[in-house]
Amino acid sequence: MGKNGILAIISGPSGSGKGTAVEKLLQKGNYALSISATTRSPREYEVPGVHYFFYSKEQFEEMKKNGLLLECAEFCGNYYGTPKAYVEEQLQSGKNVILEIEVQGALQVKKIYPSAVLIFLIPPNLEELGRRLVQRGTEDKETINKRMHRAIEEMEFVDDYDYVVINDSIDTAVEDIDMILRAESMKCSRNKDIKKVFKGEI
Ligand code: 5GP
């Protein structure tokens, strides 16, 4: 009997490098990324079904009503949510599942899955965050301001998380996240069957 995978939630201000960190983490193997549903319009480079499932507000509300979302939240005027079925299937098959979601959703998931590991990824400081958002060039000035403001609000939630990782260098941050999740997988509480496995009973 295989053990369930770990549900890892990575949050952090817009521009903290979550997207890149997750991409690099996926290259390491035993991780599955949950693709979110959103009502936000696609960015130029975004592919439906790869980066997000893009829905109208009505379609999103229908999914929510039918209980298909594990969690959902509004962020800077758009809705975002995690499709439930994929997460459950992957965890049961022993894969570690990554949710790259914002704080309100993360706290909803922690209530449903208390063993979920909550990781907060932050840039070294606010000034650097602003610089990265401008450099990214995917949002207009008003949206950047909104997101900077939201970043300050989101930092208040850091105490609700299990780990904080500072993204000064992306490769180090990815190693840190991978190390956290490898250590989590070795927790005795996540290895309840180890005695039976040791004796060859299962
Ligand atoms: P963006 O518009 O930059 O892609 O995402 C905006 C914020 O929404 C980010 O903080 C991102 O992590 C978060 N987000 C993406 N997908 C989900 C989701 O399924 N649920 C929640 N609660 N937040 C999400």
Side-chain angles (χ1 to χ4, degrees):
M1 194 178 68
K3 61 175 182 172
N4 277 2
I6 295 175
L7 184 55
I9 301 184
I10 303 183
S11 304
S14 191
S16 61
K18 281 170 302 180
T20 313
V22 167
E23 230 171 75
K24 285 178 175 262
L25 205 56
L26 290 177
Q27 290 163 9
K28 286 187 174 283
N30 190 33
Y31 293 109
L33 175 66
S34 158
I35 299 170
S36 297
T38 184
T39 60
R40 164 166 83 56
S41 315
R43 293 180 183 136
E44 214 168 275
Y45 62 88
E46 285 178 331
V47 180
V50 174
H51 296 94
Y52 278 107
F53 296 110
F54 296 97
Y55 292 116
S56 66
K57 207 172 161 203
E58 291 71 32
Q59 288 171 318
F60 191 94
E61 272 160 6
E62 192 65 18
M63 285 181 79
K64 189 176 164 188
K65 200 176 84 190
N66 291 331
L68 301 179
L69 298 176
L70 178 60
E71 60 72 39
C72 66
E74 191 186 339
F75 181 91
C76 292
N78 292 301
Y79 293 114
Y80 296 81
T82 304
K84 194 192 281 183
Y86 178 80
V87 173
E88 289 173 350
E89 280 160 24
Q90 294 297 312
L91 287 176
Q92 277 164 20
S93 75
K95 276 247 179 186
N96 297 327
V97 179
I98 300 173
L99 307 185
E100 194 229 293
I101 64 177
E102 53 70 67
V103 293
Q104 306 164 73
L107 299 184
Q108 291 173 39
V109 176
K110 186 77 177 176
K111 280 201 185 128
I112 304 165
Y113 288 96
S115 63
V117 181
L118 269 57
I119 301 172
F120 208 85
L121 184 68
I122 57 168
N125 53 54
L126 192 61
E127 199 186 335
E128 173 63 14
L129 178 69
R131 207 184 57 75
R132 288 183 192 177
L133 278 175
V134 171
Q135 197 179 43
R136 188 165 84 177
T138 50
E139 270 86 21
D140 58 30
K141 204 167 170 219
E142 192 196 330
T143 310
I144 290 179
N145 283 341
K146 257 195 208 168
R147 286 179 175 233
M148 293 278 286
H149 188 252
R150 183 67 193 141
I152 297 168
E153 288 173 352
E154 283 196 321
M155 280 302 291
E156 291 299 318
F157 289 86
V158 71
D159 296 336
D160 294 316
Y161 277 65
D162 299 306
Y163 299 91
V164 61
V165 172
I166 298 173
N167 180 9
D168 208 346
S169 133
I170 187 70
D171 288 335
T172 310
V174 171
E175 285 308 317
D176 289 346
I177 295 171
D178 189 42
M179 178 183 68
I180 289 166
L181 295 175
R182 283 194 291 127
E184 281 285 338
S185 77
M186 289 179 247
K187 274 192 167 165
C188 295
S189 59
R190 293 188 194 270
N191 290 277
K192 296 269 193 233
D193 286 335
I194 198 68
K195 284 179 277 186
K196 286 184 184 160
V197 172
F198 182 72
K199 287 189 270 179
E201 291 170 3
I202 51 173

